[in-house]
Amino acid sequence: MRGYAVEALVVYESQFGNTRQVADAICRGLGPGARAVGASDEIRPDKLPPGALLVVGSPIVGWKPLEDIGAWLGALEPGSLKGLRAAAFDTRVKLFIHGDAARKIAHALEDAGAELVSEPTGFFVAGKEGPLLDGELERAEHWGTQLAGLMAG
């Protein structure tokens, strides 16, 4: 399944660096047409070509995404992501109850007109500041490869 080149933008917000690492791993899986950018950057998803992939991720803080991602998602106009495909992820502590920022992100992407290509996905950290649990970066890269396969297929 390796070797797909996908035009993709991975938008993330990271508090302690773990979510950024996951975003970079997802990009490696997606291939050379992917790049990761922070949510505080001037991001223009409307500049992506139709059919491109937008992946958005954040750690869970207070049962929701971080403030910059939340504001970025809240600023998306209805229909502004029409023609784009999308996926959402979060980083979370592995607990029985942990919140679900990825699902909230996915709903916001759908509300803006994007077509979800994957279920929202969580990646696990050890404690509030991390680090990521063993194998999570490999799992993130594999998820990126799976997303690339879905886009190519």
Side-chain angles (χ1 to χ4, degrees):
M1 219 160 168
R2 285 299 258 167
Y4 291 114
V6 173
E7 184 150 7
L9 184 63
V10 179
V11 179
Y12 68 90
E13 186 173 3
S14 191
Q15 197 169 33
F16 300 106
N18 301 300
T19 307
R20 185 191 53 149
Q21 289 179 54
V22 169
D24 289 340
I26 292 167
C27 281
R28 284 193 300 275
L30 286 167
R35 70 184 182 105
V37 296
S40 59
D41 296 342
E42 291 246 349
I43 305 156
R44 297 288 312 262
D46 59 325
K47 299 296 182 193
L48 287 170
L53 177 65
L54 177 62
V55 181
V56 181
S58 171
I60 296 171
V61 176
W63 303 92
K64 61 186 180 194
L66 286 174
E67 189 174 320
D68 283 352
I69 282 285
W72 184 79
L73 290 166
L76 293 173
E77 295 290 327
S80 63
L81 300 182
K82 188 168 177 56
L84 294 181
R85 297 179 185 177
F89 73 95
D90 62 33
T91 51
R92 56 179 70 175
V93 176
K94 196 172 197 172
L95 297 172
F96 175 69
I97 298 174
H98 51 67
D100 193 346
R103 194 161 309 282
K104 289 178 176 75
I105 292 168
H107 286 302
L109 294 170
E110 277 187 310
D111 289 347
E115 173 194 346
L116 292 181
V117 296
S118 174
E119 286 293 316
T121 301
F123 297 94
F124 297 104
V125 296
K128 179 181 175 185
E129 296 182 21
L132 288 156
L133 294 182
D134 289 343
E136 289 301 276
L137 288 178
E138 293 80 5
R139 196 166 72 82
E141 186 171 342
H142 179 71
W143 189 58
T145 302
Q146 288 178 316
L147 291 174
L150 291 170
M151 296 294 293

